[in-house]
Amino acid sequence: MKYLFASDIHGSAYYCRKLLEAYRQSGAGRLILLGDLLYHGPRNDLPKEYAPKEVIAMLNGYKQEICTVRGNCEAEVDQMVLEFPVLADYALLELNGLTFFATHGHVYHQDNMPPLRDGEILVHGHTHLLKAEKVNGHYILNPGSVSIPKGGNPATYGVLDGTAFRILDFDGNVVKEVCLEDEVQA
């Protein structure tokens, strides 16, 4: 099954529309959001078409297909308007024979790893910097930012297809790719 991973929408109606279009076209069975859905945060400029109420309506339309974790910009009031759970600090996901520790990235990240078993994969957002690499025996994945990319990167999202994890821009170009197959055998 395919899964689409995205992070850091930050209230951008423009990029939320692009993300949902990419999700529909990808054929993914679930949309996994890694936090910071509605608010832009005090350190970020307003993203293109900042309209959290529009983002709420768009995401609620996919409530049965979304799995999300809390970002550092999520608050209890967000849960009052979103019709799917958004306040979990992390999720352990079994996808295509792989175990993912999904979190936003403001607590757990490459420099403060969660307690992972051998072969488990850390996937997070928060930094707005895409990543797909093996570090100290574990894959660390970051699909980048949907609306406020940093480090000269384009706006991106990730797709897990079998054991391949691809980070794509909104033109459909693969920006980075890694095969997680050796983790299935671990």
Side-chain angles (χ1 to χ4, degrees):
M1 182 176 205
K2 281 188 188 177
Y3 299 89
L4 193 143
F5 290 79
S7 191
D8 300 284
I9 298 169
H10 287 293
S12 171
Y14 176 83
Y15 283 106
C16 188
R17 276 191 298 277
K18 289 182 91 55
L19 173 64
L20 293 174
E21 180 182 328
Y23 173 67
R24 287 188 300 270
Q25 291 179 355
S26 73
R30 284 275 181 186
L31 176 57
I32 300 166
L33 299 175
L34 301 171
D36 285 1
L37 307 180
L38 303 178
Y39 179 57
H40 69 287
R43 294 180 294 194
N44 296 313
D45 292 331
L46 288 175
K48 186 173 185 174
E49 287 185 33
Y50 182 67
K53 287 182 181 179
E54 289 182 44
V55 172
I56 292 165
M58 284 186 268
L59 292 179
N60 280 343
Y62 287 83
K63 65 185 175 187
Q64 294 169 317
E65 300 172 50
I66 291 176
C67 172
T68 191
V69 294
R70 177 200 307 243
N72 60 306
C73 292
E74 258 77 62
E76 289 183 27
V77 70
D78 298 335
Q79 187 61 83
M80 296 168 93
V81 296
L82 292 168
E83 298 172 1
F84 50 90
V86 297
L87 296 179
D89 291 324
Y90 69 92
L92 281 177
L93 305 171
E94 283 287 330
L95 309 172
N96 301 342
L98 301 164
T99 302
F100 291 82
F101 186 99
T103 190
H104 181 59
H106 61 294
V107 175
Y108 292 113
H109 45 77
Q110 180 175 333
D111 297 325
N112 185 36
M113 292 289 285
L116 299 177
R117 292 181 175 177
D118 289 343
E120 293 180 339
I121 299 160
L122 174 63
V123 61
H124 69 83
H126 182 62
T127 63
H128 300 222
L129 298 168
L130 59 92
K131 177 178 275 202
E133 59 189 55
K134 197 167 195 175
V135 178
N136 297 325
H138 292 284
Y139 279 101
I140 299 176
L141 308 175
N142 185 327
S145 174
V146 169
S147 69
I148 309 173
K150 296 183 179 174
N153 292 308
T156 54
Y157 59 94
V159 174
L160 177 68
D161 186 0
T163 58
F165 187 83
R166 295 178 186 90
I167 299 173
L168 298 103
D169 65 18
F170 285 105
D171 291 325
N173 300 308
V174 176
V175 178
K176 191 154 185 143
E177 181 175 9
V178 66
C179 182
L180 307 168
E181 191 164 357
D182 59 328
E183 294 307 312
V184 174
Q185 300 166 0

